[in-house]
Amino acid sequence: TMERPLACGPNLVCTGPAFDVLPSTCVKARPRDVCYTGPWWDSSRCPRTSMRTPGMTRDWAIESLQTAFLLFPGEVASPMTCKYWTGSFSTFTQGVRNVTYNIFQALWPRHLVGEYPTLDQLYQHMWNQTDLDLAALKPEDCAAGAEVDGRISKALAMVGSWSHRPNLLWSLIHFVMHNQPSPMSSQAVAASEALANHLSENFWCNDCRGFFTIGVLSTVGLPPKSSQGEEHATYWNLGHNIASEHVATTRGGHPWINPLEFAKAEGVENPFFVPYETSVEMWHVEQI
């Protein structure tokens, strides 16, 4: 038998055989430098629509880290609630924040955006914006303040808005992965694997965690053990493409309720597939 390569029409790209959801299928390529809105998140803060040069500035990297720092199952405790910051449960949320901090510390591209902020500096950066240290409040004071218009309720609303910007988390992931050296340090390789498990366990929405676990980890596995930076960048590009095929920006709603055909019929479908070459153009910074 003779194998014939799949030829896609103009403005279409092939997903490739490794894309388990739609293997070797011609789809529209997602354009570079764009963020799509969704029914439950905020894409108004988007590095790619603000920057026309590859990578990130330090300010964007810190803002994106601030959002990633708040990873935690939203149905258990959202950063916009007192339960997340105060009382006995805050020990668990703090532990997850520490894990997030350590993961990105191992992956941080210091040669591009400077030294990684200390944990105290990151917290101070947050409290400078909220004008209030939420983690220092007593549970009863937080609960009372959350019910009225004032410093506490406004601070909770502000940090809650940060946790509704997953595009910043994904932007940070691609930025750090596309700028890893080859060879990567053993700590960075371990951090890439830890990040995949961390998203599976702690992404804000339970549907998203389920899709990432089933669609990505159960299909393509964990990131490679290789120390070659490009292999990790390729893994995360593929993983994000698989995850993006499921989300509401593509389907216009829950993927188990609104199939792709429904989204197309309603005219709410957005392209989800970012070719690896496009990802490189957006996130990799060439060293002079």
Side-chain angles (χ1 to χ4, degrees):
T1 60
M2 181 180 67
E3 292 188 5
R4 299 175 61 188
L6 178 64
C8 295
N11 302 318
L12 297 177
V13 292
C14 181
T15 59
F19 195 77
D20 186 71
V21 186
L22 293 170
S24 298
T25 303
C26 294
V27 298
K28 292 181 180 179
R30 179 169 172 163
R32 57 172 294 171
D33 301 327
V34 65
C35 282
Y36 294 119
T37 58
W40 56 74
W41 60 76
D42 170 19
S43 294
S44 62
R45 297 292 298 163
C46 176
R48 293 312 330 148
T49 59
S50 299
M51 295 181 58
R52 293 302 177 180
T53 56
M56 279 187 176
T57 62
R58 179 171 177 83
D59 286 345
W60 272 118
I62 296 297
E63 181 176 344
S64 300
L65 176 63
Q66 176 180 266
T67 283
F69 192 53
L70 298 178
L71 276 169
F72 196 80
E75 77 280 8
V76 178
S78 166
M80 67 174 58
T81 64
C82 291
K83 178 182 178 181
Y84 179 93
W85 295 106
T86 65
S88 59
F89 198 80
S90 64
T91 302
F92 296 101
T93 61
Q94 182 181 13
V96 173
R97 289 197 299 275
N98 289 343
V99 172
T100 306
Y101 176 85
N102 291 334
I103 287 173
F104 283 104
Q105 183 177 34
L107 296 164
W108 193 254
R110 292 167 177 80
H111 61 295
L112 298 177
V113 289
E115 288 300 313
Y116 194 61
T118 66
L119 199 53
D120 287 342
Q121 288 172 337
L122 184 55
Y123 276 116
Q124 192 58 52
H125 179 74
M126 294 166 57
W127 306 145
N128 285 344
Q129 297 169 79
T130 60
D131 194 32
L132 184 66
D133 182 345
L134 289 168
L137 292 174
K138 295 180 180 179
E140 59 271 22
D141 292 338
C142 186
E147 297 300 319
V148 297
D149 184 15
R151 292 178 66 204
I152 292 176
S153 59
K154 289 179 180 177
L156 289 170
M158 180 176 288
V159 296
S161 70
W162 300 340
S163 68
H164 284 77
R165 295 171 180 167
N167 73 288
L168 292 181
L169 168 65
W170 281 111
S171 294
L172 183 62
I173 290 173
H174 294 306
F175 173 57
V176 299
M177 293 301 174
H178 275 291
N179 292 287
Q180 289 299 306
S182 292
M184 297 166 60
S185 69
S186 58
Q187 292 88 346
V189 173
S192 181
E193 179 176 328
L195 179 58
N197 282 317
H198 199 53
L199 295 186
S200 173
E201 296 169 357
N202 293 290
F203 204 89
W204 296 284
C205 68
N206 52 0
D207 291 337
C208 306
R209 295 195 303 274
F211 301 148
F212 189 84
T213 301
I214 296 171
V216 181
L217 298 189
S218 297
T219 303
V220 299
L222 292 167
K225 298 288 187 182
S226 168
S227 62
Q228 297 303 303
E230 188 172 4
E231 292 187 28
H232 289 262
T234 301
Y235 171 91
W236 283 102
N237 175 254
L238 173 63
H240 193 186
N241 279 338
I242 294 173
S244 291
E245 190 275 336
H246 286 293
V247 300
T249 52
T250 298
R251 296 173 180 265
H254 194 291
W256 296 341
I257 299 174
N258 300 321
L260 285 172
E261 290 75 15
F262 176 84
K264 290 179 180 178
E266 296 296 319
V268 295
E269 180 190 18
N270 288 319
F272 62 88
F273 191 85
V274 178
Y276 179 73
E277 297 75 15
T278 303
S279 190
V280 171
E281 292 173 0
M282 290 191 293
W283 299 113
H284 178 68
V285 180
E286 290 288 348
Q287 293 294 285
I288 300 176

